């Protein structure tokens, strides 16, 4: 990708290294297309080529941009004043993050880290506000994102309050595989440690290891050049057979 900015593997946070001078003005040649807007450099938009475990922004950094994942995975984590870290979200292709800056939030409330090689669009807050105001098609796309995230947050809370750790783990794996979204599910999910899964589910690593072994034995998941998740894992979330325990 000629107009993308590679990120330094040595730096703690994401840094941009432009390979050459790039015009930041994009000439309008037709009707506004949200996907084109999110795929091109220009108008205070940059494309970041993130390496694995690259920090895009850290908790407490100035909040001044919205990010969109073209390809890859990003983990959002928060650290308490006592130093305890928790995973609050795993985001994939088509997701926005960092949008709290649009509501006047001055600092980032979480740390965003790429889980693998990822392509991410960074949009300055002023540009994001302008496009949301002037382009109904983009506003509709972004509102759908916000509504979907809100529903997901509520479902996560209900899941945490009422479901067992095993069901929470199964639901997490299905969400990571994009089951329930439009299009074909991704059978291979990103390489995520059992420690991270335990943080997401709210249990211990040993319990995650036990449940993953159980899922594998029952044919719900398999390891073959990555973790493959089968639709039959729904049987754990919503048991279809009284024989499941």
């Amino acid at each position: 990708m000629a107009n993308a900015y590679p990120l330094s593997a040595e730096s703690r946070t994401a840094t941009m290294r432009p390979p050459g001078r790039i015009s930041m003005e994009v000439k309008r040649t037709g009707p506004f297309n949200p996907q084109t807007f999110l795929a091109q450099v220009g108008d205070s938009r940059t494309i970041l080529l993130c390496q694995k475990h690259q920090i895009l922004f850290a908790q407490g950094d100035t909040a001044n941009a919205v990010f969109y994942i073209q390809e890859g995975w990003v983990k959002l984590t928060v650290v308490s004043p006592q130093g305890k870290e928790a995973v609050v979200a795993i985001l994939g292709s088509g997701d926005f993050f960092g949008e709290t800056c649009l509501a006047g939030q001055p600092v980032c409330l979480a740390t965003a880290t790429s889980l693998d090689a990822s392509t991410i669009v960074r949009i300055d807050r002023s540009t994001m506000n302008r496009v949301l105001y002037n382009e109904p098609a983009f506003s509709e796309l972004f509102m759908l994102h916000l509504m979907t995230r809100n529903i997901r947050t509520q479902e996560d809370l209900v899941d945490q309050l009422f479901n067992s750790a095993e069901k929470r783990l199964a639901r997490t794996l299905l969400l990571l595989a994009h089951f329930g979204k439009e299009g074909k599910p991704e059978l291979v999910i990103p390489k995520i440690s059992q420690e991270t899964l335990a943080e997401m589910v709210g249990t211990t690593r040993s319990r995650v290891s036990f449940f993953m072994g159980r899922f594998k034995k029952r044919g719900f998941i398999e390891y073959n050049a990555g973790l493959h998740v089968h639709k039959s894992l729904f049987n754990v979330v919503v048991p279809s057979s009284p024989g499941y325990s």
Side-chain angles (χ1 to χ4, degrees), residues 86-117:
V87 178
V88 295
I90 299 289
L91 307 176
S93 302
D95 285 331
F96 290 90
F97 60 99
E99 64 269 23
T100 55
C101 70
L102 301 176
Q105 185 67 43
V107 298
C108 300
L109 301 179
T111 296
T113 308
S114 59
L115 287 175
D116 56 7

Side-chain angles (χ1 to χ4, degrees), residues 15-243:
T15 58
M16 295 179 291
R17 292 180 178 175
R21 184 175 179 82
I22 299 175
S23 172
M24 301 305 286
E25 297 297 327
V26 176
K27 185 180 293 185
R28 179 70 67 87
T29 58
F32 181 87
N33 185 315
Q35 296 305 324
T36 300
F37 174 81
L38 292 169
Q40 294 181 345
V41 171
D43 193 17
S44 300
R45 303 189 311 279
T46 50
I47 296 179
L48 311 177
L49 300 182
C50 301
Q51 300 181 14
K52 185 177 181 180
H53 297 158
Q54 189 80 48
I55 296 179
L56 288 103
F57 56 76
Q59 184 175 338
D61 285 353
T62 301
N64 54 15
V66 177
F67 298 79
Y68 175 79
I69 305 173
Q70 284 187 355
E71 184 179 358
W73 297 86
V74 171
K75 174 177 68 173
L76 299 183
T77 58
V78 295
V79 178
S80 71
Q82 293 74 32
K84 184 177 180 180
E85 183 179 84
V87 178
V88 295
I90 299 289
L91 307 176
S93 302
D95 285 331
F96 290 90
F97 60 99
E99 64 269 23
T100 55
C101 70
L102 301 176
Q105 185 67 43
V107 298
C108 300
L109 301 179
T111 296
T113 308
S114 59
L115 287 175
D116 56 7
S118 305
T119 303
I120 297 172
V121 182
R122 181 188 184 278
I123 310 168
D124 284 355
R125 177 175 53 196
S126 58
T127 296
M128 191 73 178
N129 279 324
R130 177 178 56 76
V131 176
L132 286 171
Y133 182 80
N134 292 325
E135 304 294 348
F138 188 81
S139 297
E140 182 178 353
L141 173 70
F142 190 67
M143 283 299 297
L144 178 61
H145 156 76
L146 293 179
M147 293 171 65
T148 302
R149 282 282 292 275
N150 184 58
I151 293 171
R152 167 73 184 277
T153 299
Q154 293 183 43
E155 290 176 345
D156 287 347
L157 179 59
V158 171
D159 189 46
Q160 191 70 31
L161 290 173
F162 297 111
N163 285 334
S164 66
E166 184 177 25
K167 285 187 177 182
R168 297 199 304 272
L169 176 60
R171 177 174 176 269
T172 296
L173 294 175
L174 289 167
L175 288 170
L176 289 173
H178 287 173
F179 279 102
K181 285 190 175 183
E182 293 184 4
K184 185 179 179 180
E186 297 182 23
L187 294 181
V188 183
I189 66 174
K191 186 176 181 180
I192 299 178
S193 69
Q194 291 188 353
E195 287 83 0
T196 297
L197 285 172
E199 292 174 7
M200 295 174 65
V201 172
T203 188
T204 63
R205 181 194 173 282
S206 61
R207 294 291 285 169
V208 167
S209 179
F210 172 78
F211 294 138
M212 293 292 279
R214 188 176 187 181
F215 294 163
K216 181 180 178 182
K217 182 178 180 180
R218 292 176 175 265
F220 297 147
I221 64 173
E222 62 179 297
Y223 296 94
N224 182 14
L227 175 59
H228 293 246
V229 178
H230 298 287
K231 191 175 181 178
S232 57
L233 188 59
F234 273 119
N235 293 335
V236 178
V237 180
V238 183
S240 58
S241 171

